Amino acid sequence: MERRWGNQRIELAIGDITDQNVDIVVNAANSRLAGGGGVDGAIHAAGGPAIMEETRRRYPDGCPTGEAVISSAGKLSARYVIHAVGPIWQGGGAGEEKQLEAAYTRCLELAAAHDATSIVFPALSCGAYGYPLDLAARIALKTAIRWIPYHSQPRLIRFVLFSEGPYSVFAAALEELTGES
Ligand code: AR6
């Protein structure tokens, strides 16, 4: 599924984050940038140890929740990996929404600053961090929809979902937010 605004678009896809042919792959990292399971495990496994070597050297203090840092992409075909730290879901009253929105926005800012035409996001915080998928999908998509009219890059913002279930949640949210079906 996709929505276009001139030569810019938001795309939803089912697949593996490490298989995407884009300039920037976003990692669902933790604040220590210590690696882990899920998306983080898959990206470091496919990209090789160079990514972790670089993030340890450049970001020894890690990355706070709601922010993101950039590195090269090792063996991945992308130019860069952006390591974004989404919030751990604590029931919604601990500023999670703002932090999730900030993490997505920071990734888009870094992508634009690095002249990227395309970026792929996973559903940040929706695995180990327990964020309810329907709420997270709306925040992710709203942030992208708001970004597009004011920025020419990245032209393609893709969200890749691991399976049909999360894909349909994102698809319903995109339809609702763009007023089409
Ligand atoms: N490709 C696409 N989506 C995936 C993949 C993949 N290869 N693997 C998982 N997902 P998660 P978080 C989906 O847990 O919630 C790590 O240990 C998954 O189904 O990767 O932000 C880090 O080190 C879910 O919908 O990220 C942190 O400690 C979504 O991607 C912590 O987990 C995000 O799940 C971050 O947790």
Side-chain angles (χ1 to χ4, degrees), residues 15-17 28-30 35-40 42 122-130 160 162:
D16 190 306
I17 191 99
N30 54 63
V39 168
D40 206 0
L124 293 174
S125 287
C126 292
Y129 282 0
V160 70
F162 220 16

Side-chain angles (χ1 to χ4, degrees), residues 137-143 145 171-180:
R138 291 178 63 87
I139 295 164
L141 292 166
K142 256 193 210 167
T143 308
I145 291 166
L174 185 56
E175 278 178 9
E176 192 188 319
L177 291 168
T178 56
E180 301 167 43

Side-chain angles (χ1 to χ4, degrees), residues 88-123:
I88 298 171
W89 179 254
Q90 295 173 65
E96 294 97 318
E97 180 169 347
K98 282 262 172 293
Q99 288 173 328
L100 188 60
E101 184 186 332
Y104 277 106
T105 301
R106 189 70 194 118
C107 291
L108 292 168
E109 288 169 355
L110 282 168
H114 287 77
D115 226 11
T117 57
S118 53
I119 186 168
V120 64
F121 286 100

Side-chain angles (χ1 to χ4, degrees), residues 5-16:
W5 294 262
N7 70 354
Q8 293 171 279
R9 69 187 198 276
I10 292 176
E11 212 175 79
L12 306 182
I14 298 178
D16 190 306

Side-chain angles (χ1 to χ4, degrees), residues 2-56:
E2 67 171 30
R3 286 290 181 268
R4 285 180 178 271
W5 294 262
N7 70 354
Q8 293 171 279
R9 69 187 198 276
I10 292 176
E11 212 175 79
L12 306 182
I14 298 178
D16 190 306
I17 191 99
T18 61
D19 284 343
Q20 309 293 313
N21 186 19
V22 289
D23 285 343
I24 296 197
V25 171
V26 176
N27 183 18
N30 54 63
S31 56
R32 290 177 299 127
L33 302 178
V39 168
D40 206 0
I43 285 178
H44 286 293
I51 299 176
M52 185 74 81
E53 280 159 24
E54 182 179 338
T55 55
R56 286 224 171 98

